[in-house]
């Protein structure tokens, strides 16, 4: 499966596409690191544990285009595949998720296109995460290209669960046995309970720290 190159497009080669999307990921990544450093400076606390980024493979892009009935061209890929460039932000507590989302939203050169809150409304599988589709300008020597990046923000526990669910999905090609799906849903509940307990414990510790200062 290969992508067909459309020479009339603004982006007319796979290498150039990769360059642009990688540049967009770098920009978002640097912004997040700066915001994390600033938060540490002001509040003596880092909301971000770590950041992962990836570019979707050409095989995955073609599969997604075919699934939605589009021809496998570079232009269709840019217009109809929103998660070619993906960045995952892992944090400690659920409260950090919305704090980080607000910091991203407040960046003047980042445009938020869409938001999906799978924390308030989890998927039926039990999946939880906060998704933002954003656009960031990539400055080339001769033009500026607004480039889409999908940002996923989740806790360490949510990420652990999602990694296992991803492996199971591909192992069974989306048709895992019912008992495994049920076990995953049970695990998702445990993850949710753990996140809630850890958040409460952290708030108690912070409260005690404030009282100790007086």
């Amino acid at each position: 499966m290969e992508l067909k190159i459309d020479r009339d497009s603004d982006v007319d080669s796979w290498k150039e596409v990769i360059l642009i999307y990688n540049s967009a990921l770098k920009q978002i990544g640097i912004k997040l690191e700066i915001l994390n450093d600033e938060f540490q400076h002001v509040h003596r606390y880092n909301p971000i544990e770590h950041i992962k980024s990836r570019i979707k493979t050409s095989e995955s892009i073609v599969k997604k285009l075919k699934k939605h009935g589009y021809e496998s061209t570079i232009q269709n890929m840019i217009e109809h595949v929103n998660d070619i460039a993906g960045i995952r932000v892992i944090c400690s507590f659920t409260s950090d998720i919305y704090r980080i989302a607000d910091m991203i939203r407040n960046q003047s050169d980042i445009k938020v296109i869409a938001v999906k809150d799978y924390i308030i409304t989890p998927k039926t599988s039990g999946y939880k995460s906060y998704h933002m589709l954003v656009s960031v300008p990539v400055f080339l020597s001769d033009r500026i290209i607004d480039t889409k990046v999908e940002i996923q923000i989740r806790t360490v526990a949510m990420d652990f669960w999602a990694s296992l669910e991803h492996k199971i999905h591909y192992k069974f090609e989306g048709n895992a046995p019912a008992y495994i799906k049920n076990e995953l849903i049970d695990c998702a509940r445990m993850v949710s309970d753990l996140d809630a307990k850890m958040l409460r414990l952290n708030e108690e510790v912070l409260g005690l720290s404030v009282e100790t200062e007086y």
Side-chain angles (χ1 to χ4, degrees), residues 11-53:
V11 183
D12 61 3
S13 75
W14 175 248
K15 287 185 179 179
E16 191 172 52
V17 167
I18 293 298
L19 168 68
I20 291 165
Y21 281 106
N22 268 323
S23 299
L25 282 179
K26 285 178 184 178
Q27 284 187 225
I28 298 287
I30 290 170
K31 282 178 177 294
L32 288 167
E33 288 175 10
I34 292 171
L35 289 169
N36 203 37
D37 290 344
E38 181 199 12
F39 208 87
Q40 170 66 36
H41 174 69
V42 176
H43 302 285
R44 299 175 183 265
Y45 168 66
N46 291 116
I48 298 173
E49 290 285 338
H50 56 275
I51 300 168
K52 302 175 185 177
S53 62

Short mmCIF file of all heavy atoms in Angstrom, two decimals, residues 11-53:
data_model
loop_
_atom_site.label_atom_id
_atom_site.label_comp_id
_atom_site.label_asym_id
_atom_site.label_seq_id
_atom_site.Cartn_x
_atom_site.Cartn_y
_atom_site.Cartn_z
N VAL A 11 2.01 20.42 -0.93
CA VAL A 11 2.99 19.48 -0.39
C VAL A 11 3.03 18.30 -1.34
O VAL A 11 2.08 17.54 -1.43
CB VAL A 11 2.58 19.01 1.02
CG1 VAL A 11 3.64 18.09 1.60
CG2 VAL A 11 2.35 20.19 1.94
N ASP A 12 4.12 18.15 -2.11
CA ASP A 12 4.09 17.19 -3.20
C ASP A 12 5.06 16.02 -3.04
O ASP A 12 5.39 15.35 -3.98
CB ASP A 12 4.34 17.91 -4.54
CG ASP A 12 5.71 18.59 -4.56
OD1 ASP A 12 6.46 18.45 -3.57
OD2 ASP A 12 6.02 19.23 -5.56
N SER A 13 5.51 15.76 -1.84
CA SER A 13 6.35 14.59 -1.64
C SER A 13 6.21 14.09 -0.22
O SER A 13 5.94 14.86 0.71
CB SER A 13 7.81 14.90 -1.95
OG SER A 13 8.38 15.66 -0.91
N TRP A 14 6.35 12.80 -0.06
CA TRP A 14 6.24 12.18 1.26
C TRP A 14 7.29 12.74 2.22
O TRP A 14 7.02 13.01 3.38
CB TRP A 14 6.38 10.66 1.13
CG TRP A 14 6.38 9.94 2.43
CD1 TRP A 14 7.42 9.27 2.99
CD2 TRP A 14 5.30 9.82 3.37
NE1 TRP A 14 7.07 8.73 4.21
CE2 TRP A 14 5.76 9.06 4.45
CE3 TRP A 14 3.98 10.29 3.37
CZ2 TRP A 14 4.95 8.76 5.54
CZ3 TRP A 14 3.18 9.99 4.46
CH2 TRP A 14 3.67 9.22 5.53
N LYS A 15 8.52 12.95 1.73
CA LYS A 15 9.58 13.47 2.59
C LYS A 15 9.23 14.86 3.11
O LYS A 15 9.51 15.20 4.26
CB LYS A 15 10.91 13.51 1.83
CG LYS A 15 11.53 12.14 1.61
CD LYS A 15 12.90 12.24 0.96
CE LYS A 15 13.52 10.86 0.77
NZ LYS A 15 14.85 10.96 0.11
N GLU A 16 8.64 15.67 2.25
CA GLU A 16 8.26 17.02 2.68
C GLU A 16 7.13 16.97 3.71
O GLU A 16 7.11 17.74 4.67
CB GLU A 16 7.85 17.87 1.49
CG GLU A 16 7.71 19.35 1.85
CD GLU A 16 7.49 20.22 0.63
OE1 GLU A 16 6.58 19.91 -0.15
OE2 GLU A 16 8.22 21.21 0.47
N VAL A 17 6.20 16.04 3.51
CA VAL A 17 5.11 15.85 4.47
C VAL A 17 5.68 15.51 5.84
O VAL A 17 5.30 16.09 6.86
CB VAL A 17 4.15 14.74 4.00
CG1 VAL A 17 3.20 14.33 5.12
CG2 VAL A 17 3.34 15.22 2.81
N ILE A 18 6.62 14.55 5.86
CA ILE A 18 7.24 14.14 7.12
C ILE A 18 7.97 15.31 7.78
O ILE A 18 7.88 15.51 9.00
CB ILE A 18 8.22 12.97 6.88
CG1 ILE A 18 7.45 11.72 6.45
CG2 ILE A 18 9.02 12.66 8.14
CD1 ILE A 18 6.47 11.20 7.47
N LEU A 19 8.68 16.09 6.98
CA LEU A 19 9.38 17.26 7.49
C LEU A 19 8.42 18.23 8.17
O LEU A 19 8.68 18.70 9.29
CB LEU A 19 10.11 17.98 6.34
CG LEU A 19 10.65 19.38 6.65
CD1 LEU A 19 11.78 19.30 7.65
CD2 LEU A 19 11.09 20.09 5.38
N ILE A 20 7.30 18.51 7.52
CA ILE A 20 6.34 19.48 8.04
C ILE A 20 5.68 18.98 9.33
O ILE A 20 5.60 19.71 10.33
CB ILE A 20 5.27 19.80 6.97
CG1 ILE A 20 5.94 20.60 5.83
CG2 ILE A 20 4.11 20.59 7.57
CD1 ILE A 20 5.12 20.68 4.57
N TYR A 21 5.24 17.72 9.32
CA TYR A 21 4.59 17.19 10.52
C TYR A 21 5.57 17.03 11.68
O TYR A 21 5.21 17.26 12.85
CB TYR A 21 3.89 15.87 10.21
CG TYR A 21 2.55 16.07 9.53
CD1 TYR A 21 2.38 15.81 8.18
CD2 TYR A 21 1.46 16.53 10.24
CE1 TYR A 21 1.16 16.00 7.55
CE2 TYR A 21 0.23 16.73 9.63
CZ TYR A 21 0.08 16.47 8.29
OH TYR A 21 -1.14 16.68 7.67
N ASN A 22 6.81 16.64 11.37
CA ASN A 22 7.82 16.56 12.43
C ASN A 22 8.12 17.94 13.01
O ASN A 22 8.32 18.09 14.22
CB ASN A 22 9.12 15.95 11.89
CG ASN A 22 9.17 14.45 12.08
OD1 ASN A 22 8.70 13.92 13.09
ND2 ASN A 22 9.72 13.73 11.12
N SER A 23 8.13 18.94 12.16
CA SER A 23 8.36 20.32 12.62
C SER A 23 7.23 20.78 13.53
O SER A 23 7.47 21.43 14.55
CB SER A 23 8.48 21.26 11.42
OG SER A 23 9.57 20.90 10.60
N ALA A 24 5.99 20.42 13.17
CA ALA A 24 4.84 20.77 14.00
C ALA A 24 4.94 20.09 15.37
O ALA A 24 4.67 20.71 16.41
CB ALA A 24 3.54 20.36 13.30
N LEU A 25 5.34 18.82 15.38
CA LEU A 25 5.51 18.10 16.65
C LEU A 25 6.58 18.74 17.52
O LEU A 25 6.42 18.87 18.74
CB LEU A 25 5.88 16.63 16.38
CG LEU A 25 4.75 15.69 15.96
CD1 LEU A 25 5.31 14.30 15.70
CD2 LEU A 25 3.66 15.63 17.01
N LYS A 26 7.68 19.15 16.90
CA LYS A 26 8.77 19.80 17.65
C LYS A 26 8.28 21.09 18.29
O LYS A 26 8.59 21.38 19.44
CB LYS A 26 9.95 20.10 16.72
CG LYS A 26 10.77 18.88 16.35
CD LYS A 26 11.89 19.27 15.39
CE LYS A 26 12.66 18.04 14.93
NZ LYS A 26 13.72 18.40 13.95
N GLN A 27 7.51 21.88 17.52
CA GLN A 27 7.00 23.14 18.05
C GLN A 27 6.09 22.93 19.26
O GLN A 27 6.23 23.60 20.28
CB GLN A 27 6.24 23.90 16.96
CG GLN A 27 7.15 24.56 15.94
CD GLN A 27 6.38 25.45 14.98
OE1 GLN A 27 6.60 25.39 13.78
NE2 GLN A 27 5.48 26.26 15.48
N ILE A 28 5.16 21.98 19.14
CA ILE A 28 4.26 21.70 20.25
C ILE A 28 5.04 21.16 21.44
O ILE A 28 4.81 21.55 22.59
CB ILE A 28 3.18 20.67 19.83
CG1 ILE A 28 2.31 21.21 18.70
CG2 ILE A 28 2.32 20.29 21.04
CD1 ILE A 28 1.34 22.29 19.10
N GLY A 29 6.00 20.27 21.17
CA GLY A 29 6.81 19.68 22.24
C GLY A 29 7.60 20.73 23.00
O GLY A 29 7.63 20.72 24.24
N ILE A 30 8.21 21.66 22.28
CA ILE A 30 8.99 22.72 22.92
C ILE A 30 8.09 23.63 23.75
O ILE A 30 8.43 24.02 24.87
CB ILE A 30 9.78 23.53 21.86
CG1 ILE A 30 10.90 22.69 21.27
CG2 ILE A 30 10.34 24.82 22.47
CD1 ILE A 30 11.58 23.29 20.06
N LYS A 31 6.92 23.95 23.21
CA LYS A 31 5.98 24.79 23.94
C LYS A 31 5.60 24.13 25.27
O LYS A 31 5.55 24.79 26.31
CB LYS A 31 4.71 25.03 23.11
CG LYS A 31 4.86 26.07 22.01
CD LYS A 31 3.58 26.19 21.22
CE LYS A 31 3.70 27.27 20.16
NZ LYS A 31 3.83 28.63 20.75
N LEU A 32 5.31 22.84 25.22
CA LEU A 32 4.92 22.11 26.43
C LEU A 32 6.05 22.07 27.44
O LEU A 32 5.83 22.21 28.65
CB LEU A 32 4.48 20.69 26.06
CG LEU A 32 3.12 20.58 25.35
CD1 LEU A 32 2.95 19.19 24.76
CD2 LEU A 32 1.98 20.91 26.31
N GLU A 33 7.28 21.89 26.98
CA GLU A 33 8.42 21.88 27.88
C GLU A 33 8.61 23.24 28.55
O GLU A 33 8.90 23.31 29.75
CB GLU A 33 9.68 21.49 27.11
CG GLU A 33 9.72 20.01 26.72
CD GLU A 33 10.92 19.67 25.85
OE1 GLU A 33 11.82 20.54 25.71
OE2 GLU A 33 10.97 18.56 25.32
N ILE A 34 8.45 24.31 27.78
CA ILE A 34 8.58 25.66 28.34
C ILE A 34 7.49 25.92 29.38
O ILE A 34 7.75 26.45 30.47
CB ILE A 34 8.53 26.72 27.22
CG1 ILE A 34 9.79 26.62 26.34
CG2 ILE A 34 8.40 28.13 27.81
CD1 ILE A 34 9.74 27.46 25.08
N LEU A 35 6.25 25.53 29.05
CA LEU A 35 5.14 25.72 29.99
C LEU A 35 5.36 24.91 31.27
O LEU A 35 5.07 25.38 32.37
CB LEU A 35 3.82 25.30 29.32
CG LEU A 35 3.31 26.23 28.22
CD1 LEU A 35 2.16 25.57 27.46
CD2 LEU A 35 2.87 27.57 28.79
N ASN A 36 5.91 23.71 31.12
CA ASN A 36 6.19 22.87 32.28
C ASN A 36 7.27 23.50 33.15
O ASN A 36 7.17 23.53 34.38
CB ASN A 36 6.63 21.49 31.81
CG ASN A 36 6.42 20.41 32.87
OD1 ASN A 36 5.45 20.44 33.61
ND2 ASN A 36 7.34 19.46 32.92
N ASP A 37 8.33 24.05 32.51
CA ASP A 37 9.41 24.72 33.24
C ASP A 37 8.89 25.96 33.97
O ASP A 37 9.26 26.24 35.11
CB ASP A 37 10.54 25.12 32.29
CG ASP A 37 11.31 23.91 31.78
OD1 ASP A 37 11.18 22.82 32.37
OD2 ASP A 37 12.04 24.07 30.77
N GLU A 38 8.02 26.71 33.27
CA GLU A 38 7.44 27.92 33.89
C GLU A 38 6.59 27.54 35.10
O GLU A 38 6.65 28.21 36.14
CB GLU A 38 6.59 28.67 32.88
CG GLU A 38 5.98 29.95 33.46
CD GLU A 38 4.80 30.47 32.66
OE1 GLU A 38 4.29 29.74 31.78
OE2 GLU A 38 4.37 31.59 32.93
N PHE A 39 5.81 26.48 34.97
CA PHE A 39 4.96 26.03 36.07
C PHE A 39 5.81 25.63 37.27
O PHE A 39 5.48 25.93 38.42
CB PHE A 39 4.09 24.86 35.62
CG PHE A 39 2.78 24.78 36.36
CD1 PHE A 39 1.68 25.49 35.93
CD2 PHE A 39 2.66 24.00 37.50
CE1 PHE A 39 0.48 25.43 36.61
CE2 PHE A 39 1.47 23.93 38.19
CZ PHE A 39 0.37 24.64 37.75
N GLN A 40 6.94 24.97 36.99
CA GLN A 40 7.86 24.60 38.07
C GLN A 40 8.42 25.85 38.75
O GLN A 40 8.53 25.90 39.98
CB GLN A 40 9.00 23.75 37.49
CG GLN A 40 10.16 23.50 38.44
CD GLN A 40 9.77 22.65 39.64
OE1 GLN A 40 8.96 21.76 39.52
NE2 GLN A 40 10.34 22.95 40.80
N HIS A 41 8.76 26.85 37.96
CA HIS A 41 9.33 28.10 38.49
C HIS A 41 8.33 28.84 39.38
O HIS A 41 8.67 29.32 40.46
CB HIS A 41 9.77 29.00 37.34
CG HIS A 41 10.23 30.35 37.76
ND1 HIS A 41 11.42 30.56 38.45
CD2 HIS A 41 9.66 31.58 37.62
CE1 HIS A 41 11.56 31.84 38.72
NE2 HIS A 41 10.50 32.49 38.22
N VAL A 42 7.09 28.92 38.93
CA VAL A 42 6.06 29.68 39.64
C VAL A 42 5.45 28.89 40.80
O VAL A 42 5.29 29.41 41.91
CB VAL A 42 4.94 30.14 38.67
CG1 VAL A 42 3.82 30.85 39.43
CG2 VAL A 42 5.52 31.05 37.59
N HIS A 43 5.11 27.63 40.54
CA HIS A 43 4.36 26.84 41.53
C HIS A 43 5.18 25.73 42.20
O HIS A 43 4.65 25.01 43.04
CB HIS A 43 3.13 26.22 40.85
CG HIS A 43 2.22 27.22 40.22
ND1 HIS A 43 1.38 28.03 40.97
CD2 HIS A 43 2.00 27.55 38.92
CE1 HIS A 43 0.68 28.81 40.14
NE2 HIS A 43 1.05 28.53 38.89
N ARG A 44 6.44 25.59 41.78
CA ARG A 44 7.31 24.52 42.31
C ARG A 44 6.70 23.14 42.10
O ARG A 44 6.71 22.30 43.00
CB ARG A 44 7.62 24.75 43.79
CG ARG A 44 8.35 26.04 44.08
CD ARG A 44 8.53 26.28 45.56
NE ARG A 44 9.18 27.56 45.79
CZ ARG A 44 10.49 27.71 45.98
NH1 ARG A 44 11.28 26.67 45.92
NH2 ARG A 44 11.00 28.90 46.19
N TYR A 45 6.15 22.94 40.93
CA TYR A 45 5.48 21.69 40.62
C TYR A 45 5.42 21.49 39.12
O TYR A 45 5.14 22.43 38.38
CB TYR A 45 4.06 21.72 41.21
CG TYR A 45 3.15 20.62 40.74
CD1 TYR A 45 3.40 19.29 41.06
CD2 TYR A 45 2.03 20.90 39.96
CE1 TYR A 45 2.57 18.28 40.61
CE2 TYR A 45 1.18 19.89 39.52
CZ TYR A 45 1.46 18.58 39.84
OH TYR A 45 0.64 17.58 39.41
N ASN A 46 5.72 20.28 38.64
CA ASN A 46 5.64 19.96 37.22
C ASN A 46 4.39 19.14 36.92
O ASN A 46 4.29 18.00 37.37
CB ASN A 46 6.86 19.15 36.78
CG ASN A 46 8.14 19.96 36.79
OD1 ASN A 46 9.05 19.67 37.55
ND2 ASN A 46 8.21 20.98 35.96
N PRO A 47 3.44 19.69 36.17
CA PRO A 47 2.23 18.92 35.84
C PRO A 47 2.47 17.82 34.81
O PRO A 47 1.72 16.86 34.74
CB PRO A 47 1.27 19.98 35.28
CG PRO A 47 2.17 21.04 34.75
CD PRO A 47 3.36 21.07 35.65
N ILE A 48 3.56 17.95 34.02
CA ILE A 48 3.84 16.97 32.97
C ILE A 48 4.91 15.99 33.42
O ILE A 48 6.01 16.39 33.80
CB ILE A 48 4.29 17.68 31.67
CG1 ILE A 48 3.18 18.60 31.15
CG2 ILE A 48 4.68 16.66 30.60
CD1 ILE A 48 3.59 19.46 29.96
N GLU A 49 4.58 14.71 33.38
CA GLU A 49 5.54 13.66 33.70
C GLU A 49 6.48 13.41 32.52
O GLU A 49 7.69 13.42 32.66
CB GLU A 49 4.82 12.36 34.07
CG GLU A 49 4.07 12.41 35.39
CD GLU A 49 5.01 12.32 36.57
OE1 GLU A 49 6.14 11.82 36.43
OE2 GLU A 49 4.61 12.79 37.66
N HIS A 50 5.91 13.16 31.35
CA HIS A 50 6.71 13.01 30.14
C HIS A 50 5.84 13.18 28.90
O HIS A 50 4.61 13.20 28.98
CB HIS A 50 7.47 11.69 30.10
CG HIS A 50 6.61 10.47 30.23
ND1 HIS A 50 6.24 9.95 31.44
CD2 HIS A 50 6.06 9.66 29.30
CE1 HIS A 50 5.50 8.88 31.26
NE2 HIS A 50 5.37 8.68 29.98
N ILE A 51 6.52 13.32 27.77
CA ILE A 51 5.86 13.58 26.49
C ILE A 51 6.32 12.55 25.46
O ILE A 51 7.51 12.26 25.36
CB ILE A 51 6.19 15.01 25.98
CG1 ILE A 51 5.71 16.07 26.99
CG2 ILE A 51 5.57 15.26 24.62
CD1 ILE A 51 6.27 17.45 26.70
N LYS A 52 5.36 12.00 24.72
CA LYS A 52 5.67 11.06 23.63
C LYS A 52 5.12 11.65 22.33
O LYS A 52 4.04 12.24 22.33
CB LYS A 52 5.01 9.70 23.87
CG LYS A 52 5.37 9.01 25.17
CD LYS A 52 4.55 7.73 25.32
CE LYS A 52 4.78 7.07 26.67
NZ LYS A 52 3.91 5.86 26.83
N SER A 53 5.84 11.45 21.24
CA SER A 53 5.33 11.93 19.95
C SER A 53 5.57 10.87 18.88
O SER A 53 6.47 10.03 19.01
CB SER A 53 6.00 13.25 19.55
OG SER A 53 7.39 13.08 19.39
#
